[in-house]
Amino acid sequence: MLAHFDEALPAELIAEMVGMKGAIKALYSLVDKGMAEEVGPGFRLKDWVRGVVRLRHVNPTYYIKVGDTYLKSEDAELFIKALRYYVRAGDERKCLAALKHRLL
């Protein structure tokens, strides 16, 4: 799942999306093995791992969940990221709702 995201995601969001106990411990294990890196408050897979894993299809609900999390913030940069993830998920209704919410 992490392979489909370009930027580092917060550990709590990753744990919520994966839905498994010990997800944060597993992230640190990936860091120890050189497969992931800790970037600020988040984690991302190394480029070589992402290249191999990206060949698999990602469930659009992951993109929507990350978009929803970013949309809760009032930060303009995170709003743009949320829109990108809604587009990746192919969810036009989420895109329009986000734009309406931001503009109104």
Side-chain angles (χ1 to χ4, degrees):
M1 180 270 314
L2 268 179
H4 299 279
F5 296 94
D6 295 329
E7 76 271 354
L9 297 177
E12 297 79 24
L13 178 59
I14 295 168
E16 180 183 328
M17 288 190 328
V18 173
M20 81 177 216
K21 279 187 164 181
I24 294 176
K25 185 177 179 181
L27 287 170
Y28 281 110
S29 176
L30 290 173
V31 170
D32 289 343
K33 293 175 182 169
M35 298 174 73
E37 57 190 343
E38 193 172 3
V39 181
F43 292 85
R44 69 185 293 270
L45 290 179
K46 297 269 185 145
D47 289 339
W48 67 271
V49 177
R50 290 173 53 225
V52 172
V53 178
R54 269 194 170 172
L55 301 174
R56 298 186 65 209
H57 174 72
V58 66
N59 187 336
T61 57
Y62 289 135
Y63 289 139
I64 292 170
K65 193 172 272 196
V66 172
D68 289 346
T69 300
Y70 285 160
L71 193 60
K72 291 176 188 173
S73 168
E74 293 298 319
D75 184 278
E77 187 176 321
L78 292 180
F79 172 75
I80 298 297
K81 286 182 180 183
L83 283 178
R84 282 190 201 135
Y85 285 121
Y86 292 149
V87 169
R88 283 186 188 176
D91 195 330
E92 293 175 16
R93 287 183 288 147
K94 282 280 194 180
C95 288
L96 290 174
L99 287 168
K100 285 179 185 176
H101 172 74
R102 185 70 177 198
L103 296 175
L104 300 177

XYZ file of all heavy atoms in Angstrom:
830
model
N 0.811 -1.174 0.000
C 0.000 0.000 0.000
C 0.863 1.249 0.000
O 0.589 2.180 -0.720
C -0.928 -0.085 1.223
C -1.869 1.049 1.412
S -1.313 2.450 2.393
C -0.586 1.772 3.800
N 1.903 1.277 0.790
C 2.785 2.444 0.868
C 3.462 2.769 -0.462
O 3.811 3.907 -0.706
C 3.885 2.202 1.904
C 3.627 2.658 3.314
C 4.825 2.307 4.187
C 3.330 4.101 3.403
N 3.648 1.789 -1.298
C 4.369 1.980 -2.554
C 3.637 2.928 -3.494
O 4.241 3.495 -4.388
C 4.586 0.639 -3.245
N 2.362 3.127 -3.295
C 1.571 3.943 -4.197
C 1.504 5.402 -3.781
O 0.819 6.191 -4.424
C 0.173 3.351 -4.325
C 0.205 1.966 -4.887
N 0.318 1.713 -6.227
C 0.189 0.758 -4.285
C 0.356 0.414 -6.428
N 0.276 -0.189 -5.264
N 2.209 5.777 -2.740
C 2.216 7.155 -2.270
C 3.619 7.729 -2.408
O 4.589 7.137 -1.953
C 1.744 7.222 -0.812
C 0.313 6.791 -0.654
C 0.007 5.481 -0.331
C -0.717 7.681 -0.872
C -1.306 5.068 -0.202
C -2.035 7.277 -0.750
C -2.331 5.972 -0.415
N 3.703 8.892 -3.030
C 5.001 9.513 -3.286
C 5.603 10.151 -2.039
O 6.807 10.131 -1.854
C 4.885 10.568 -4.388
C 4.503 9.949 -5.721
O 4.883 8.790 -5.965
O 3.819 10.624 -6.504
N 4.761 10.745 -1.211
C 5.294 11.412 -0.031
C 5.159 10.510 1.193
O 4.446 9.508 1.164
C 4.593 12.754 0.220
C 3.208 12.646 0.800
C 2.125 12.538 -0.244
O 2.380 12.645 -1.440
O 1.000 12.306 0.167
N 5.842 10.910 2.238
C 5.765 10.159 3.491
C 4.392 10.353 4.113
O 3.852 11.454 4.111
C 6.851 10.643 4.452
N 3.832 9.277 4.623
C 2.535 9.330 5.292
C 2.742 9.206 6.792
O 3.625 8.478 7.242
C 1.632 8.195 4.812
C 1.244 8.202 3.340
C 0.405 6.964 3.022
C 0.484 9.457 2.986
N 1.915 9.910 7.578
C 2.029 9.791 9.039
C 1.804 8.345 9.497
O 0.964 7.633 8.950
C 0.909 10.703 9.558
C 0.592 11.630 8.433
C 0.894 10.871 7.178
N 2.555 7.943 10.494
C 2.489 6.566 10.988
C 1.079 6.183 11.428
O 0.630 5.070 11.162
C 3.473 6.384 12.144
N 0.363 7.100 12.072
C -0.986 6.796 12.549
C -1.928 6.525 11.383
O -2.788 5.645 11.442
C -1.540 7.950 13.396
C -0.756 8.226 14.656
C 0.519 9.034 14.403
O 0.589 9.752 13.386
O 1.446 8.916 15.204
N -1.774 7.280 10.298
C -2.617 7.081 9.122
C -2.321 5.735 8.464
O -3.229 5.010 8.069
C -2.407 8.220 8.118
C -3.173 8.126 6.810
C -4.674 8.082 7.055
C -2.818 9.292 5.914
N -1.045 5.385 8.397
C -0.661 4.091 7.830
C -1.265 2.963 8.660
O -1.846 2.021 8.121
C 0.874 3.954 7.761
C 1.452 4.978 6.790
C 1.274 2.541 7.353
C 2.956 5.114 6.857
N -1.144 3.069 9.976
C -1.686 2.038 10.864
C -3.198 1.918 10.684
O -3.740 0.810 10.659
C -1.338 2.356 12.313
N -3.881 3.053 10.527
C -5.332 3.033 10.339
C -5.704 2.389 9.005
O -6.638 1.590 8.929
C -5.867 4.471 10.380
C -7.352 4.582 10.197
C -7.808 6.027 10.162
O -7.184 6.868 10.827
O -8.782 6.300 9.454
N -4.970 2.700 7.948
C -5.279 2.157 6.628
C -4.990 0.662 6.560
O -5.743 -0.088 5.960
C -4.500 2.887 5.541
C -5.009 4.282 5.310
S -4.343 5.131 3.881
C -2.728 4.565 3.668
N -3.905 0.233 7.166
C -3.530 -1.178 7.141
C -4.441 -1.976 8.062
O -4.810 -3.106 7.767
C -2.049 -1.354 7.524
C -1.694 -2.803 7.660
C -1.159 -0.681 6.506
N -4.812 -1.373 9.188
C -5.727 -2.022 10.108
C -5.150 -3.232 10.811
O -5.850 -4.202 11.068
N -3.867 -3.168 11.121
C -3.276 -4.306 11.826
C -2.570 -3.825 13.084
O -2.036 -2.717 13.120
C -2.300 -5.064 10.929
C -0.930 -4.480 10.810
S 0.136 -5.529 9.786
C 1.687 -5.344 10.627
N -2.619 -4.668 14.109
C -1.889 -4.352 15.332
C -0.401 -4.411 15.033
O 0.057 -5.241 14.264
C -2.222 -5.356 16.423
C -3.502 -5.093 17.130
C -3.630 -6.052 18.295
C -4.689 -5.570 19.237
N -4.825 -6.448 20.387
N 0.345 -3.537 15.644
C 1.783 -3.554 15.469
C 2.263 -2.981 14.142
O 3.394 -3.248 13.733
N 1.423 -2.198 13.480
C 1.807 -1.643 12.183
C 3.009 -0.704 12.316
O 3.909 -0.724 11.475
C 0.631 -0.910 11.542
N 3.034 0.073 13.374
C 4.144 1.015 13.555
C 5.437 0.251 13.826
O 6.498 0.603 13.300
C 3.816 2.037 14.664
C 2.640 2.907 14.190
C 5.024 2.881 15.008
C 2.129 3.896 15.184
N 5.347 -0.822 14.587
C 6.526 -1.671 14.833
C 7.020 -2.266 13.510
O 8.220 -2.337 13.255
C 6.178 -2.774 15.820
C 7.339 -3.618 16.226
C 6.932 -4.647 17.273
C 8.113 -5.497 17.653
N 7.762 -6.513 18.653
N 6.081 -2.663 12.648
C 6.447 -3.207 11.336
C 7.125 -2.148 10.478
O 8.062 -2.452 9.730
C 5.215 -3.756 10.635
N 6.674 -0.887 10.590
C 7.311 0.200 9.834
C 8.766 0.368 10.263
O 9.656 0.518 9.427
C 6.547 1.510 10.044
C 5.205 1.611 9.352
C 4.451 2.849 9.841
C 5.385 1.662 7.849
N 9.005 0.347 11.570
C 10.382 0.473 12.052
C 11.228 -0.725 11.629
O 12.428 -0.584 11.381
C 10.417 0.667 13.571
C 10.103 2.091 13.966
C 8.915 2.414 14.594
C 11.000 3.116 13.689
C 8.622 3.724 14.945
C 10.721 4.426 14.034
C 9.534 4.725 14.661
O 9.255 6.021 14.997
N 10.626 -1.880 11.518
C 11.335 -3.058 11.039
C 11.763 -2.859 9.584
O 12.878 -3.217 9.200
C 10.450 -4.294 11.174
O 11.086 -5.418 10.629
N 10.873 -2.269 8.774
C 11.233 -1.969 7.385
C 12.374 -0.957 7.307
O 13.250 -1.061 6.453
C 10.014 -1.446 6.610
C 8.916 -2.457 6.324
C 7.702 -1.756 5.712
C 9.412 -3.554 5.399
N 12.354 0.022 8.215
C 13.439 1.010 8.268
C 14.752 0.309 8.609
O 15.783 0.550 7.969
C 13.121 2.126 9.292
C 14.335 3.007 9.533
C 11.940 2.967 8.810
N 14.726 -0.570 9.599
C 15.925 -1.305 10.004
C 16.485 -2.156 8.873
O 17.696 -2.340 8.766
C 15.640 -2.201 11.220
C 15.424 -1.403 12.491
O 15.801 -0.207 12.527
O 14.867 -1.971 13.445
N 15.608 -2.671 8.021
C 16.036 -3.519 6.908
C 16.426 -2.720 5.670
O 16.807 -3.300 4.655
C 14.916 -4.499 6.556
C 14.657 -5.505 7.654
C 13.467 -6.373 7.346
C 13.249 -7.324 8.518
N 12.003 -8.017 8.462
N 16.320 -1.386 5.761
C 16.702 -0.543 4.633
C 15.662 -0.485 3.523
O 15.957 -0.068 2.408
N 14.434 -0.879 3.830
C 13.381 -0.882 2.820
C 12.484 0.351 2.897
O 11.753 0.656 1.964
C 12.534 -2.136 2.971
C 13.334 -3.409 2.745
S 12.383 -4.892 3.077
C 11.299 -4.906 1.667
N 12.530 1.065 4.020
C 11.720 2.262 4.216
C 12.570 3.305 4.912
O 13.651 3.001 5.428
C 10.475 1.946 5.038
N 12.073 4.531 4.907
C 12.780 5.602 5.601
C 11.779 6.439 6.382
O 10.622 6.570 5.991
C 13.558 6.471 4.615
C 12.737 7.097 3.522
C 13.589 7.738 2.439
O 14.780 7.976 2.681
O 13.042 8.004 1.372
N 12.261 6.951 7.493
C 11.439 7.824 8.317
C 11.715 9.252 7.866
O 12.852 9.713 7.859
C 11.804 7.632 9.788
C 10.842 8.236 10.741
C 11.141 7.852 12.179
O 12.134 7.148 12.442
O 10.373 8.280 13.048
N 10.655 9.940 7.452
C 10.784 11.317 6.958
C 9.887 12.195 7.818
O 8.667 12.135 7.705
C 10.365 11.415 5.469
C 10.528 12.825 4.970
C 11.157 10.437 4.622
N 10.504 12.998 8.690
C 9.716 13.824 9.602
C 8.829 12.931 10.452
O 9.276 11.929 10.999
N 7.537 13.254 10.491
C 6.624 12.437 11.295
C 6.060 11.234 10.540
O 5.203 10.530 11.043
C 5.493 13.417 11.632
C 5.454 14.316 10.445
C 6.888 14.456 9.981
N 6.552 10.989 9.332
C 5.979 9.918 8.525
C 6.997 8.919 8.020
O 8.190 8.990 8.335
N 6.501 7.995 7.215
C 7.324 6.938 6.636
C 7.031 6.831 5.152
O 5.921 7.088 4.711
C 6.998 5.582 7.284
C 7.399 5.476 8.714
C 6.561 5.928 9.721
C 8.614 4.928 9.058
C 6.931 5.832 11.046
C 8.991 4.816 10.389
C 8.146 5.277 11.381
N 8.045 6.427 4.395
C 7.849 6.113 2.981
C 8.801 4.998 2.611
O 9.860 4.833 3.221
C 8.047 7.325 2.085
C 9.464 7.836 1.999
C 9.591 9.123 1.186
N 9.311 8.944 -0.211
C 10.210 8.623 -1.136
N 11.461 8.439 -0.786
N 9.876 8.492 -2.382
N 8.392 4.219 1.605
C 9.263 3.148 1.130
C 10.392 3.736 0.296
O 10.227 4.778 -0.333
C 8.476 2.155 0.271
C 7.469 1.266 0.989
C 6.770 0.359 -0.017
C 8.133 0.424 2.055
N 11.522 3.059 0.302
C 12.638 3.480 -0.551
C 12.229 3.320 -2.010
O 11.375 2.493 -2.350
C 13.876 2.624 -0.270
C 14.410 2.751 1.132
C 15.435 3.830 1.206
C 16.043 3.867 2.597
N 17.414 4.201 2.619
N 12.840 4.110 -2.883
C 12.467 4.118 -4.304
C 12.585 2.747 -4.950
O 11.734 2.360 -5.745
C 13.316 5.135 -5.072
C 12.947 6.565 -4.721
O 11.816 6.785 -4.230
O 13.772 7.465 -4.944
N 13.625 1.993 -4.612
C 13.805 0.689 -5.254
C 12.690 -0.283 -4.862
O 12.253 -1.098 -5.668
C 15.187 0.107 -4.957
C 15.438 -0.281 -3.529
C 15.928 0.512 -2.535
C 15.202 -1.553 -2.936
N 16.019 -0.179 -1.364
C 15.584 -1.463 -1.573
C 14.713 -2.761 -3.410
C 15.486 -2.519 -0.693
C 14.620 -3.829 -2.529
C 15.001 -3.704 -1.178
N 12.194 -0.174 -3.642
C 11.096 -1.035 -3.203
C 9.800 -0.594 -3.876
O 9.029 -1.419 -4.364
C 10.943 -0.999 -1.663
C 9.753 -1.828 -1.213
C 12.216 -1.457 -0.989
N 9.597 0.715 -3.941
C 8.384 1.240 -4.575
C 8.307 0.826 -6.033
O 7.233 0.513 -6.550
C 8.339 2.760 -4.447
C 8.087 3.200 -3.022
C 8.190 4.693 -2.802
N 7.378 5.447 -3.706
C 7.804 6.540 -4.347
N 9.025 6.981 -4.180
N 6.999 7.194 -5.138
N 9.441 0.816 -6.725
C 9.451 0.432 -8.130
C 8.989 -0.990 -8.361
O 8.277 -1.275 -9.324
N 9.360 -1.875 -7.469
C 8.959 -3.273 -7.602
C 7.498 -3.458 -7.209
O 6.733 -4.111 -7.902
C 9.860 -4.178 -6.721
C 9.340 -5.591 -6.693
C 11.287 -4.129 -7.224
N 7.098 -2.852 -6.126
C 5.771 -3.076 -5.576
C 4.684 -2.336 -6.355
O 3.545 -2.772 -6.401
C 5.728 -2.676 -4.084
C 4.356 -2.859 -3.491
C 6.747 -3.479 -3.304
N 5.013 -1.236 -7.001
C 4.013 -0.443 -7.713
C 3.332 -1.200 -8.843
O 2.326 -0.756 -9.364
C 4.637 0.824 -8.287
C 4.554 1.972 -7.354
C 4.857 3.247 -8.067
N 4.537 4.341 -7.171
C 4.810 5.576 -7.399
N 5.395 5.910 -8.524
N 4.491 6.504 -6.548
N 3.876 -2.309 -9.229
C 3.273 -3.083 -10.302
C 1.906 -3.641 -9.897
O 1.104 -3.980 -10.754
C 4.208 -4.223 -10.711
C 5.588 -3.789 -11.202
C 6.466 -5.006 -11.445
C 5.474 -2.945 -12.457
N 1.649 -3.702 -8.616
C 0.369 -4.222 -8.125
C -0.682 -3.120 -8.134
O -0.380 -1.940 -8.006
C 0.534 -4.742 -6.696
C 1.530 -5.883 -6.633
C 1.591 -6.482 -5.270
N 0.316 -7.098 -4.968
C -0.155 -7.217 -3.738
N 0.528 -6.780 -2.719
N -1.326 -7.781 -3.530
N -1.927 -3.517 -8.252
C -3.053 -2.575 -8.236
C -3.323 -2.122 -6.800
O -3.276 -2.920 -5.881
C -4.296 -3.256 -8.810
C -5.531 -2.435 -8.706
N -5.740 -1.332 -9.490
C -6.603 -2.546 -7.901
C -6.909 -0.800 -9.176
N -7.454 -1.524 -8.215
N -3.616 -0.844 -6.647
C -3.934 -0.331 -5.315
C -5.447 -0.107 -5.214
O -6.097 0.305 -6.170
C -3.163 0.980 -5.004
C -3.603 2.107 -5.899
C -3.327 1.374 -3.549
N -5.987 -0.411 -4.057
C -7.396 -0.206 -3.792
C -7.665 1.302 -3.705
O -7.026 1.994 -2.920
C -7.762 -0.896 -2.475
C -9.224 -0.889 -2.198
O -9.968 -0.050 -2.681
N -9.652 -1.831 -1.383
N -8.607 1.846 -4.480
C -8.887 3.290 -4.458
C -9.294 3.817 -3.087
O -9.131 4.998 -2.812
C -10.042 3.445 -5.453
C -10.027 2.238 -6.297
C -9.411 1.148 -5.473
N -9.786 2.956 -2.212
C -10.192 3.444 -0.892
C -8.996 3.955 -0.092
O -9.159 4.810 0.766
C -10.925 2.357 -0.078
O -10.088 1.212 0.046
C -12.229 1.963 -0.742
N -7.808 3.448 -0.378
C -6.616 3.984 0.285
C -6.409 5.437 -0.104
O -6.127 6.293 0.732
C -5.363 3.178 -0.075
C -5.309 1.807 0.530
C -4.938 0.709 -0.229
C -5.613 1.593 1.868
C -4.865 -0.565 0.321
C -5.551 0.324 2.432
C -5.178 -0.741 1.645
O -5.109 -1.988 2.192
N -6.532 5.732 -1.391
C -6.368 7.113 -1.857
C -7.438 8.016 -1.244
O -7.154 9.142 -0.841
C -6.449 7.183 -3.375
C -5.272 6.594 -4.104
C -5.455 5.829 -5.248
C -3.973 6.801 -3.671
C -4.375 5.303 -5.934
C -2.893 6.274 -4.341
C -3.100 5.527 -5.479
O -2.034 5.007 -6.157
N -8.651 7.526 -1.164
C -9.739 8.330 -0.612
C -9.506 8.603 0.874
O -9.695 9.718 1.352
C -11.094 7.641 -0.856
C -11.405 7.662 -2.361
C -12.203 8.297 -0.058
C -12.578 6.826 -2.778
N -9.050 7.597 1.600
C -8.808 7.761 3.036
C -7.706 8.796 3.299
O -7.832 9.638 4.176
C -8.445 6.425 3.673
C -8.478 6.454 5.187
C -8.311 5.072 5.756
C -9.682 4.444 5.857
N -9.701 3.257 6.720
N -6.640 8.744 2.502
C -5.566 9.731 2.660
C -6.081 11.112 2.265
O -5.814 12.102 2.945
C -4.329 9.342 1.817
C -3.302 10.457 1.822
C -3.710 8.073 2.364
N -6.838 11.176 1.178
C -7.417 12.451 0.767
C -8.312 13.038 1.850
O -8.243 14.242 2.136
N -9.137 12.208 2.465
C -10.012 12.678 3.541
C -9.211 13.224 4.715
O -9.558 14.248 5.296
C -10.922 11.545 4.026
C -11.997 11.158 3.022
O -12.235 11.925 2.056
O -12.599 10.077 3.187
N -8.133 12.529 5.054
C -7.290 12.983 6.166
C -6.655 14.326 5.857
O -6.645 15.232 6.692
C -6.195 11.938 6.475
O -6.831 10.704 6.822
C -5.309 12.391 7.613
N -6.118 14.483 4.641
C -5.505 15.748 4.265
C -6.530 16.869 4.173
O -6.234 18.016 4.471
C -4.781 15.616 2.925
C -3.472 14.869 3.002
C -2.904 14.320 1.871
C -2.783 14.712 4.198
C -1.701 13.641 1.921
C -1.593 14.025 4.266
C -1.049 13.501 3.124
O 0.142 12.841 3.174
N -7.739 16.548 3.763
C -8.771 17.565 3.600
C -9.192 18.159 4.940
O -9.605 19.317 5.008
C -9.986 16.962 2.890
C -11.016 17.947 2.364
C -10.376 18.886 1.344
C -12.166 17.211 1.720
N -9.063 17.404 6.021
C -9.421 17.905 7.349
C -8.533 19.071 7.768
O -8.937 19.903 8.564
C -9.320 16.786 8.385
C -10.372 15.726 8.222
C -10.155 14.599 9.205
C -11.090 13.442 8.913
N -10.801 12.267 9.745
N -7.343 19.127 7.210
C -6.421 20.205 7.528
C -6.844 21.473 6.794
O -7.442 21.428 5.733
C -5.007 19.817 7.091
O -4.159 20.936 7.142
N -6.520 22.598 7.345
C -6.817 23.870 6.678
C -5.636 24.330 5.826
O -5.669 25.413 5.253
C -7.151 24.943 7.726
C -8.442 24.671 8.473
C -9.665 24.647 7.552
O -9.741 25.494 6.639
O -10.522 23.774 7.752
N -4.614 23.499 5.714
C -3.413 23.821 4.954
C -3.685 23.708 3.457
O -4.224 22.707 2.985
C -2.294 22.854 5.365
C -0.984 23.189 4.701
O -0.799 22.794 3.542
O -0.150 23.838 5.357
N -3.324 24.733 2.694
C -3.587 24.757 1.253
C -2.822 23.664 0.511
O -3.352 23.053 -0.419
C -3.228 26.130 0.683
N -1.594 23.396 0.924
C -0.791 22.369 0.267
C -1.406 20.981 0.461
O -1.463 20.178 -0.469
C 0.638 22.395 0.809
C 1.580 21.482 0.071
C 3.006 21.603 0.571
O 3.441 22.731 0.878
O 3.682 20.563 0.649
N -1.894 20.716 1.663
C -2.534 19.434 1.927
C -3.863 19.325 1.194
O -4.273 18.235 0.794
C -2.729 19.223 3.430
C -1.450 19.024 4.231
C -1.770 18.834 5.710
C -0.648 17.841 3.706
N -4.536 20.451 0.985
C -5.775 20.448 0.205
C -5.506 20.000 -1.231
O -6.225 19.167 -1.786
C -6.417 21.836 0.218
C -7.577 21.966 -0.718
C -8.794 21.396 -0.405
C -7.440 22.633 -1.916
C -9.868 21.495 -1.274
C -8.507 22.747 -2.791
C -9.726 22.174 -2.469
N -4.429 20.518 -1.818
C -4.047 20.131 -3.184
C -3.708 18.641 -3.223
O -4.102 17.919 -4.150
C -2.857 20.971 -3.691
C -3.237 22.452 -3.759
C -2.357 20.467 -5.027
C -4.342 22.773 -4.739
N -2.990 18.152 -2.214
C -2.661 16.723 -2.153
C -3.933 15.890 -2.052
O -4.050 14.841 -2.684
C -1.748 16.426 -0.965
C -0.323 16.881 -1.166
C 0.525 16.496 0.025
C 1.947 16.947 -0.159
N 2.801 16.526 0.960
N -4.894 16.350 -1.261
C -6.163 15.626 -1.127
C -6.848 15.520 -2.488
O -7.323 14.449 -2.869
C -7.070 16.335 -0.123
N -6.875 16.613 -3.236
C -7.486 16.587 -4.564
C -6.779 15.591 -5.479
O -7.424 14.848 -6.225
C -7.464 17.975 -5.200
C -8.499 18.974 -4.701
C -8.323 20.315 -5.402
C -9.908 18.450 -4.904
N -5.452 15.567 -5.422
C -4.696 14.617 -6.254
C -5.082 13.174 -5.946
O -5.233 12.353 -6.851
C -3.197 14.805 -6.034
C -2.624 15.979 -6.740
C -1.103 15.943 -6.671
N -0.590 17.272 -6.907
C 0.362 17.853 -6.209
N 0.934 17.206 -5.213
N 0.768 19.062 -6.496
N -5.246 12.882 -4.657
C -5.595 11.516 -4.291
C -7.027 11.167 -4.688
O -7.306 10.036 -5.066
C -5.342 11.256 -2.809
C -3.860 11.114 -2.538
C -3.198 11.943 -1.659
C -3.118 10.150 -3.208
C -1.838 11.815 -1.439
C -1.755 10.012 -2.989
C -1.130 10.846 -2.107
O 0.212 10.715 -1.903
N -7.925 12.132 -4.632
C -9.289 11.876 -5.117
C -9.288 11.607 -6.617
O -10.017 10.745 -7.096
C -10.211 13.052 -4.795
C -10.488 13.238 -3.317
C -10.726 14.501 -2.795
C -10.515 12.163 -2.434
C -10.985 14.687 -1.454
C -10.767 12.340 -1.082
C -11.005 13.610 -0.602
O -11.264 13.789 0.730
N -8.445 12.329 -7.347
C -8.334 12.096 -8.791
C -7.763 10.710 -9.048
O -8.256 9.969 -9.897
C -7.475 13.197 -9.460
C -7.129 12.828 -10.884
C -8.202 14.533 -9.420
N -6.722 10.331 -8.319
C -6.138 8.987 -8.470
C -7.165 7.903 -8.194
O -7.160 6.854 -8.823
C -4.948 8.792 -7.537
C -3.693 9.447 -8.003
C -2.556 9.075 -7.082
N -1.359 9.830 -7.396
C -0.257 9.765 -6.703
N -0.174 8.967 -5.642
N 0.796 10.463 -7.048
N -8.032 8.157 -7.225
C -9.059 7.184 -6.882
C -10.188 7.175 -7.910
O -10.995 6.253 -7.931
C -9.628 7.474 -5.497
N -10.235 8.213 -8.748
C -11.294 8.306 -9.747
C -12.629 8.721 -9.150
O -13.679 8.420 -9.713
N -12.588 9.432 -8.038
C -13.810 9.827 -7.343
C -14.137 11.292 -7.630
O -13.698 12.195 -6.918
C -13.658 9.593 -5.842
C -14.976 9.619 -5.104
O -15.898 10.334 -5.551
O -15.088 8.924 -4.091
N -14.928 11.515 -8.670
C -15.286 12.878 -9.072
C -16.126 13.569 -7.998
O -15.973 14.777 -7.787
C -16.065 12.849 -10.382
C -15.242 12.385 -11.554
C -16.073 12.252 -12.818
O -17.201 12.788 -12.872
O -15.589 11.592 -13.756
N -17.006 12.819 -7.348
C -17.857 13.432 -6.322
C -17.028 13.981 -5.168
O -17.320 15.052 -4.645
C -18.884 12.433 -5.811
C -19.992 12.174 -6.839
C -21.048 11.233 -6.317
N -20.455 9.891 -6.266
C -20.743 8.976 -5.369
N -21.621 9.228 -4.425
N -20.177 7.797 -5.405
N -16.000 13.239 -4.762
C -15.124 13.724 -3.678
C -14.386 14.996 -4.107
O -14.233 15.921 -3.321
C -14.107 12.649 -3.277
C -14.670 11.570 -2.416
C -14.756 12.048 -0.991
C -15.003 10.885 -0.067
N -15.088 11.315 1.319
N -13.924 15.020 -5.357
C -13.230 16.205 -5.873
C -14.142 17.419 -5.827
O -13.753 18.485 -5.348
C -12.765 15.981 -7.309
S -11.402 14.849 -7.493
N -15.335 17.267 -6.345
C -16.280 18.389 -6.382
C -16.681 18.826 -4.972
O -16.760 20.024 -4.695
C -17.516 18.018 -7.193
C -17.287 17.868 -8.692
C -18.549 17.347 -9.366
C -16.869 19.191 -9.302
N -16.918 17.875 -4.091
C -17.291 18.214 -2.722
C -16.158 18.955 -2.022
O -16.410 19.924 -1.287
C -17.650 16.950 -1.946
N -14.926 18.529 -2.248
C -13.771 19.200 -1.636
C -13.648 20.629 -2.150
O -13.404 21.562 -1.375
C -12.498 18.425 -1.918
N -13.809 20.800 -3.445
C -13.724 22.145 -4.022
C -14.838 23.046 -3.501
O -14.598 24.205 -3.140
C -13.784 22.080 -5.550
C -12.518 21.541 -6.209
C -12.786 21.241 -7.685
C -11.378 22.534 -6.067
N -16.045 22.542 -3.419
C -17.167 23.322 -2.896
C -16.909 23.710 -1.452
O -17.160 24.841 -1.043
C -18.470 22.543 -3.019
C -19.010 22.479 -4.424
C -20.295 21.669 -4.456
C -20.784 21.492 -5.877
N -21.987 20.627 -5.928
N -16.436 22.758 -0.666
C -16.164 23.004 0.741
C -15.098 24.092 0.893
O -15.228 24.977 1.741
C -15.696 21.710 1.425
C -15.218 21.907 2.823
N -16.078 22.135 3.868
C -13.968 21.930 3.338
C -15.383 22.286 4.974
N -14.098 22.160 4.678
N -14.081 24.024 0.075
C -12.966 24.982 0.170
C -13.374 26.365 -0.311
O -12.957 27.375 0.258
C -11.789 24.461 -0.653
C -10.537 25.258 -0.561
C -9.922 25.122 0.804
N -8.671 25.832 0.849
C -7.756 25.644 1.737
N -7.934 24.748 2.666
N -6.648 26.328 1.716
N -14.192 26.426 -1.348
C -14.576 27.704 -1.938
C -15.703 28.396 -1.182
O -15.835 29.614 -1.256
C -14.964 27.519 -3.399
C -13.825 27.049 -4.302
C -14.355 26.773 -5.708
C -12.707 28.078 -4.354
N -16.515 27.627 -0.505
C -17.673 28.232 0.176
C -17.401 28.475 1.608
O -16.884 28.543 2.417
C -18.907 27.353 0.043
C -19.343 27.102 -1.399
C -20.526 26.155 -1.415
C -19.742 28.397 -2.083
